[in-house]
Structures are given as C-alpha cells and as structure tokens.
Amino acid sequence: MFTITVLLTLFSLPARSRNLRFGKNLTTSSYDTVPNTTDSSKRLPDPLRIKNDTFNLKISKDTLDAPVNYEAADSMAFDIPNKRIILYSKGKVTYKDIELKADSIIMDQPTDMIIAGPRRDTAGKLTGLPVMVQADTKMQSDLIRYNFKKQQGITRNTYTEQGELHVNLQQSKAISKTEYFGKLARLTTCNLDTPHFAFISSKIKLINQKLAVTGPVHPEFEGVPVPIYIPFGLFPLNQGRHSGLLAPQFSSSQQFGLGLEGLGYYKVLNDYFDVTLRSNLYSYGGFNVYLTPTYRVRYRYNGSLNFAYQQTRILSSDAKNEFTNSKTFNITWSHTVDSRARPGTTFSANVNAGSTKFNQYVANNATRNFSNQLNSSIVYTKAWGSKYNLSLNASHNQNNNTGLVNLSLPNLQFNVNTFYPFQKKEFAGAPKWYEKLGIGLNSNVGNQISFYDSLFNIRRLIDTMQWGAQHVIPIQLSLPPIGPFQIAPGISYQEKWYSRKFQRVWNPNAKKVDTAIQKGLYTSRDMSFSLGINTAIFGTYDRFKKTSRVVAIRHVIRPTFSINYKPDLAAKDYYNVQIDTAGRQYRFSYYEGSMFGAFSEGKFGGISFGVDNNIEMKVRDRKDTVTNGGIKKVKLIDGFGFNGNYNFMADSFQLSQISFYARSTLFEKINITAGATMDPYKVDSLGFPQKEFTWAGNNKSFPRITNGNIAISASFQSKTKDKKKEERVLNNQDVPAQTLQEQQMQLEYMRQNPSEFVDFDVPWNLSLSYSLNFSRVLKSDYSGFRTDIYSNLSVNGDFSLTPKWKVGASSYYDFKTATIQSITTFITREMHCWQLSINVTPVGLYRSFNITVSPKSGLLRDLKLNRTRYFYGN
C-alpha cells in the first residue's frame, strides 16, 4: 500500500512550513512538479539542519486549527493549479475526531470541501462506499460532501446507527457537529438490509445521540405501508437515563373491568436518584399506584424503595353485595453498602411489609398470590479489628393466613472473639498447654412485639411487647492431637434475662388451660462441661479390573464423641399443670414462649455421639485423558449420618431422639437432601411419650419417625446450538450489578411473561422440584398430638417445536389439598426483530390469557400489540 501523511498546505507553502495549518489565502510558491535531481536537499531543507521559528510565520485567519492526515492504497493526484488532492482506492482522511474512508476522495482547498464517493467494480456493484466516523456517530452513504471548517455537509442514501435505532435517509444535511436534517427517513430497530418493519417520514431532524423528531410518520411492514398516520414522532436516542412517559397496556377482566395497566412516568432527578410512578386504572373504580424511587452512588451504596397502594373494587360472589372493596398497601425497601466504602462497617436493609391481603389482589401473578409470608430485616454491623463485633438489627415476619405480625426491634448483638489471656505476645519455644485457653463472649439483647393486623392499636402493641437478653461465655482449650484423635475440652456459661413470666393453670369451670402473664425482671442460667473427641477413618477399595471404568471407591467416616455434664440449674423454672379432665399432667416452663426460650430441665451427665460419612468414586474420563491423568472424582453420597445423646443421670428418657440426615448429587443433575428424627420410646393413645423403649415389653415395634423432610430437585437441558454464545454468557463481565429490588421486579416480570425470556438456542429444558415435610406437634388445647404434612411438586420446562417456535409450561401441585394450585403455559414465535408471545394461566387464583406482539428492542418495548384478559377466583 502506498501511504503518505502530509498537510493540505504542503503543496502551497515553502517546504520549511510543512507544520502550518490549512488556509485558502496563503501565498503560493512556484515549485516545479518535476523533482530536481541535482540537490534535492537544498530545495527541501532538513529541519534538523535548518532551524526555523514557526511562531514568526504569518498564518491565515481561515486556516484549520488541526492537521489533516490523509492516505490512499493506490495513488494520489495533486492538482496544484486548482489546489486539490485526489485519493484513489481505499482513501482515508483524518481530522480531529473525524475519520473518513472511501474509494475516492477529493480534497478541495479553496472551498474547504471534501467529496467522497464509491466506484463500480467489474460486476457493476458499488464498492468502497464512504464511511464517516465522528465521535460516537458512524454513517455510511453513497456520496458525502463535507466542509471541514464549518462542519457542514450533504449526503445521499445515508445509513447510521443511533443506539438501537437504525436510520436511513435518502438525503441529509449536517448543519453542525451534532444536528442533521433529513428527507424521506426510514427508522427501525431491525438490522437487516431490508428491514421487516420501519417508520417512514418525509422529513426528520436528528440531534446526535439525543433525539430524533419527525413530521407525519406511518409504519411499514415487509415493505408494505400501513395507512395509519400520526402528526409527528419522537425517538429518544440517548443511551443513558432520561425522563419520560411510560406507556400502558390494555386489559380486560370480568372482576376488575376494562383497565389501563402500567401507565406512569419516569423522572431522573440527578445522576444518583430517579423515581418511577406507575398506575393501573380500572373501569369499576379500582386503581393501583406504585411509587419506586431508586438511588445509587458507585463504590458507596445503592438501593430502592417501592410503595404500592391498591384500592380494589371487584365484582363480588356474594349476592347481597355487588362489589367487594378493599384498601391494601405494601412497602419494600432494599439497601446495600459497598464493603469498600467504610471498611469494618456495613449496613443493609431488605424490607417487605404491608397488608395481609395485598398479595391476594395482585393480578396475574400466581407466585405472589400464594406467598403467605412477608419478612424484613435491617442490619448494621461494626467491627473493631478482629476482637469486637457489634450488630444492631430489626426484623419483621408476617403470616398472611393468620394475620399475625411479629416485630423484633431493636436487637443488639455484641461479640468478643475468642482471645487467649495467658498467651505470650512473643513466642519462645513450644507454647504451654494453658496458653491455649480461650475465652469469648456472645451477648444478645432484643425486643419483640406481636399483634394481629385486624386488632391493631397502641394499647395492644404495648401489652404484647416483651424484651429479653442472652449472654454466653464459651471457654475452650486447644490441645495437641493424640495420634489420630483430636481432643477439645470446653466450658460454657449461659444466662438469660426475661421481661415476663407465663403462669398456666387449669380452669375447672371452662375445662381448659388458662395463661396469665406476670411482668418484671426474671433471670435464669445454665452451665455445661464437655470433652470432645473426633477423628477420621479412611477406606479405599481399588481392586477393579484394568478394563473397568471405575478405578477406586473411597469411604470417609468421621465419628464424633463427647462427654458432657450439665447441672440442673433450671429446675426452679418448671412446674406441672393439669391439661385435661382426665387429670393428665404436663410440665411447662415459666419462660416457654419468651424471646430466647427456656433452658432444658434436668441434669445431664452422659455422652453425645455422631457419625458423618461420604462416599466418592474415581473413574476414567472418556473425554479428557490429559487432566489429572484422565481420572476424575465423582461424589456418590455427599454426606449421611446420625447424631444423638444418652443421659446416664436421668431417671427416665435417657436416650434422646436420633437425628438422621443424607445429601447427595446424582449425575451432577439431581440434588437430594433428606432428614428424619426417630423417637425410641412408646406413646399412649393420645401420643404422649411413655418411659418404655419401643423394642421392649410385649408390644414391640420399630422406633417412630416423629418428623422428617425430603427435597429432590433436578434440571435437565439439551446442549445449546451456539457454543460461542454460551461462552460469551459465561464470560460476560460487563453486566451492571442490580439491587435486590431490581432483581425482584425483573423476576416478577419474567414470571408474568415467561414467553419473552426464552432461549431459542436451547432445544429443550426441564426442571423438577419435589418437597415433603411432616412433623408431630402438640395441639393448641393440649389434648394430644397431630401430624402436619406438607408436600408439593413444581414442574417447569419448554421445548422447541421448530427453530422459531417454542412451547413451555410451569405448574405447582399441592398434595395436601390434592389440587393443582397454578398452571402457566406459553407459546412464542421468534420473528427476528419482533416476537409473538401467548401466555395462558387456566388454573390459579387469577386465570388469565395474554397475547403480545412486540419489538425485541428495549427502545420500542412499549410499542406492542397486547390483549389481556384475566378472571379472579377459583
């Protein structure tokens, strides 16, 4: 390639003035275009040999304020009389932040104009179309005429990208660096040469990376104009945040009436703060308002607040009332602090509180309709080095079924990390055994309030308020291991402070147990001593054939054993109470039901035991024969075992309940966790325990399982068609972090519109989740025990009918009620720059039907055809 970089004034100035700027009123020197072969150095002096002070030269007023560099791949022609330079084949001109490339470029000095154009190849096709890049704007045209000095120009058949918007102008005129006028404009978000859709306007004005304003505009689909005109169009082009209206979507419901959902306004207050206001309006008189301010300061903190108010007015199923009216609200707040802002100090908030019936009246959201628990937490922590930690927190939980609200605030926790008072600051030789004696402190002070939302008032709030404190002082001694055994003695002292005492008495007239509350300051304490021993046992079986894929199986057993003693310091806190007409007695604690609970009764002098296991296998990897010698580890069982204790000092019920657990991941796809508690003692007809083992006496039986749980989840999917896309997703580090509230809002939108978030590169995927929980609990009237069983199954999956059609569904089945709580199905069609989605929820609190045709571009997300109908009730 022939490349030369000079100034436009090179041909019109003496050679020693090559650093001057381009101007049209400079005096022209009479240089011969034929080089002088006798002594070229005299005609073109070496700047290292001849020193000139360029500041003494006179510069024209109309000269450019920066050099113009140019080059060409084929040749350059210097037209001295007309002061023009012509670049042939892959011409390139650079001036400040402007870069122009074209097959042919003409630079005209007298007019400060540059004319760029393509050429036709032997096949008659245009090649080397002019491409101009200035700052963040890139445009391609058939012809470009541009004035460098005035930064004005005219182009023909220009194509440019403004963010997600693709703009094509038949003719355009640049009047400044950032402003353009166009004639016969086509705007679209489709990136094809012949777009599937576009908006056509006869005239347009563009402000670079900010806004496009058109005259009368109409849509065009597949090249066919649609006779729907609007008087003007506004297209935002800036990529950052900007204020504006939020378009609604139309909905129809037999219970709510006709509605406009999502109508609102987004306001940017400054670089760190913005507010979103949305509303749902219904023809029967109901409305919802959602106010969401968000804030974010990089490297310091970020968060968002969402206040929702619902005034629900729906058709009633009661013949006496035409409508059911309800006023509900919900508040969520999410706040996180960057750990780098103030090292040693953290503050976080995750608040979700409101009316108990709020979730019930949220339309078209089956997940939220059946969410009966609301939880909140606000936490502040402060650390002083590695010795002291302070934590202040407030928490809240709410049951939407019972209406019970529990507030726990303020709570204070102060910890002193284990320190060694006898340890020397400077070690000299092996440390003494007593130097490893460690002492710590864990203190908790809390306040709790419980009330029913329907009975809320200040008096009841004060009556239910209770506070308490708990202090734990652990003392431990680290001893050197004795062979394969690790020995750890320890002492623990605990003390609890209570603000109330519960006194339960039998009421013979009402034939029930009454509870009286005595307020005051009460204390209780406990102490325990322990000596723990633990070790690990390894076993390997590797006697497999050389042709076997299995190389070895390894079993690791970790038994734990400890000797414990605890005096009966809490005996004064327990008493017997009659609980039924048969005279049955039950033993209660004065502090049962308090914040930190009651200490266990009775002396304990015995042993605690437990065994943990895991099994893994080494197999030959058929795909990777290089890494680790072609051997990989496969976990068969991540862990399984049991634990319990035996009290030699108890006169009855010496053996505790035995807890079993297991966890495993099969084939790297199926996750299984299970647990159970086994009671070794017999029970009477009402379920109260007796002092005899189940395997003793005449009626022998296997120990009873009093509670248990099992959870199985699995996810299967086919391999993605585009492996490069999968790698890009895994390696994408440019996605900005989202606040918890933003994640919840996005997940909620995805649940409502699953068809808009499908991956067509994955032919199919399936997710299954099953859980079972059961437990034996004492009835509220103390008449016996009941078994509570909860079991459910959730299924979620989709598959591709064709490369462009995707079908999917999700469902939730409750085994206790033997009903399908919800089913959501969808079908979607990928149409390059558009997407068709149909969502149907035939089962659930809200049954709905939704069909949407919308552009994929986020810029035109609100420009969609939508039809929604939903029905309330089962």
Side-chain angles (χ1 to χ4, degrees), residues 421-473:
F422 303 110
Q423 189 177 75
K424 297 178 181 179
K425 294 183 179 180
E426 296 181 0
F427 289 100
K432 305 296 183 182
W433 65 269
Y434 57 82
E435 293 181 2
K436 295 186 178 181
L437 181 68
I439 302 175
L441 172 66
N442 300 318
S443 294
N444 292 277
V445 180
N447 186 68
Q448 183 172 312
I449 304 171
S450 299
F451 60 91
Y452 288 93
D453 63 340
S454 59
L455 303 175
F456 173 80
N457 60 51
I458 301 300
R459 183 176 180 180
R460 287 193 177 94
L461 197 69
I462 297 175
D463 287 342
T464 60
M465 183 182 300
Q466 62 169 316
W467 63 270
Q470 176 178 270
H471 310 281
V472 180
I473 302 177

Side-chain angles (χ1 to χ4, degrees), residues 267-284:
K267 177 64 177 178
V268 178
L269 300 178
N270 52 46
D271 292 339
Y272 312 107
F273 195 77
D274 55 56
V275 179
T276 303
L277 176 65
R278 286 187 179 273
S279 63
N280 299 339
L281 306 176
Y282 301 101
S283 60
Y284 289 166

Side-chain angles (χ1 to χ4, degrees), residues 210 223 230 236 305 314 325 351 360 400 415 449 453 466 469 478 488 518-519 564 566 604 639 724 800 866:
K210 288 187 178 181
I230 55 177
L305 175 69
I314 60 177
N325 298 295
V351 176
Q360 181 179 347
N400 290 343
N415 298 326
I449 304 171
D453 63 340
Q466 62 169 316
S478 299
Q518 300 176 11
K519 296 185 178 181
N564 304 277
K566 182 183 76 70
F604 185 90
K724 293 183 178 180
S800 299
N866 177 271

Side-chain angles (χ1 to χ4, degrees), residues 511-759:
K511 297 181 180 180
K512 66 182 184 67
V513 177
D514 292 335
T515 302
I517 299 176
Q518 300 176 11
K519 296 185 178 181
L521 175 60
Y522 308 97
T523 62
S524 182
R525 54 196 55 84
D526 195 18
M527 179 176 285
S528 62
F529 305 87
S530 64
L531 179 65
I533 303 173
N534 60 77
T535 186
I537 304 172
F538 301 89
T540 303
Y541 181 82
D542 56 0
R543 298 180 180 179
F544 293 94
K545 297 180 180 179
K546 294 183 179 181
T547 57
S548 174
R549 189 184 175 190
V550 180
V551 178
I553 296 178
R554 186 186 187 189
H555 181 199
V556 182
I557 305 174
R558 293 182 174 88
T560 59
F561 179 85
S562 65
I563 302 173
N564 304 277
Y565 172 73
K566 182 183 76 70
D568 191 8
L569 301 182
K572 60 182 179 59
D573 301 335
Y574 285 80
Y575 59 98
N576 292 322
V577 178
Q578 181 181 343
I579 60 173
D580 56 23
T581 55
R584 186 186 302 276
Q585 298 283 322
Y586 194 82
R587 198 157 177 82
F588 292 95
S589 171
Y590 290 116
Y591 309 118
E592 188 175 341
S594 60
M595 280 194 62
F596 296 102
F599 288 118
S600 60
E601 181 187 17
K603 293 181 180 180
F604 185 90
I607 60 173
S608 297
F609 53 87
V611 177
D612 182 68
N613 303 262
N614 69 71
I615 301 176
E616 60 183 12
M617 179 173 58
K618 289 184 177 181
V619 298
R620 293 183 175 87
D621 195 341
R622 296 176 179 176
K623 297 181 180 179
D624 186 358
T625 59
V626 178
T627 305
N628 297 324
I631 305 298
K632 69 175 182 179
K633 293 182 180 180
V634 178
K635 290 186 177 181
L636 299 179
I637 302 179
D638 296 342
F640 68 97
F642 63 91
N643 55 70
N645 60 74
Y646 191 89
N647 186 4
F648 292 99
M649 301 184 68
D651 57 355
S652 60
F653 303 107
Q654 295 173 317
L655 181 62
S656 70
Q657 294 184 344
I658 309 299
S659 298
F660 296 87
Y661 64 90
R663 60 186 183 278
S664 181
T665 302
L666 302 179
F667 314 110
E668 299 180 352
K669 296 290 185 181
I670 305 174
N671 298 314
I672 303 175
T673 59
T677 301
M678 185 180 67
D679 190 349
Y681 293 96
K682 295 179 179 180
V683 295
D684 59 14
S685 59
L686 296 179
F688 289 93
Q690 296 180 334
K691 299 180 181 180
E692 190 177 17
F693 288 111
T694 56
W695 56 81
N698 296 328
N699 298 324
K700 297 180 180 180
S701 62
F702 192 79
R704 297 177 303 108
I705 304 297
T706 57
N707 59 71
N709 63 85
I710 183 171
I712 303 174
S713 63
S715 179
F716 308 94
Q717 73 173 32
S718 60
K719 294 182 178 179
T720 178
K721 297 179 180 178
D722 188 357
K723 294 185 178 180
K724 293 183 178 180
K725 177 181 177 181
E726 184 177 0
E727 294 176 357
R728 289 195 301 267
V729 173
L730 294 175
N731 298 326
N732 186 12
Q733 303 295 331
D734 298 329
V735 179
Q738 291 183 316
T739 64
L740 178 62
Q741 181 65 23
E742 290 173 336
Q743 295 176 11
Q744 292 175 346
M745 294 175 64
Q746 185 174 11
L747 289 174
E748 182 174 329
Y749 183 84
M750 292 172 67
R751 283 193 290 263
Q752 295 181 20
N753 304 274
S755 56
E756 296 185 24
F757 299 89
V758 297
D759 189 351

Side-chain angles (χ1 to χ4, degrees), residues 272 274 292-298 300-306 332-338 349-350 735-747:
Y272 312 107
D274 55 56
T292 308
T294 60
Y295 53 91
R296 175 175 296 181
V297 178
R298 182 173 293 183
R300 294 188 64 186
Y301 57 81
N302 63 78
S304 63
L305 175 69
N306 180 45
T332 59
W333 177 37
S334 174
H335 180 90
T336 57
V337 175
D338 195 313
N350 183 16
V735 179
Q738 291 183 316
T739 64
L740 178 62
Q741 181 65 23
E742 290 173 336
Q743 295 176 11
Q744 292 175 346
M745 294 175 64
Q746 185 174 11
L747 289 174

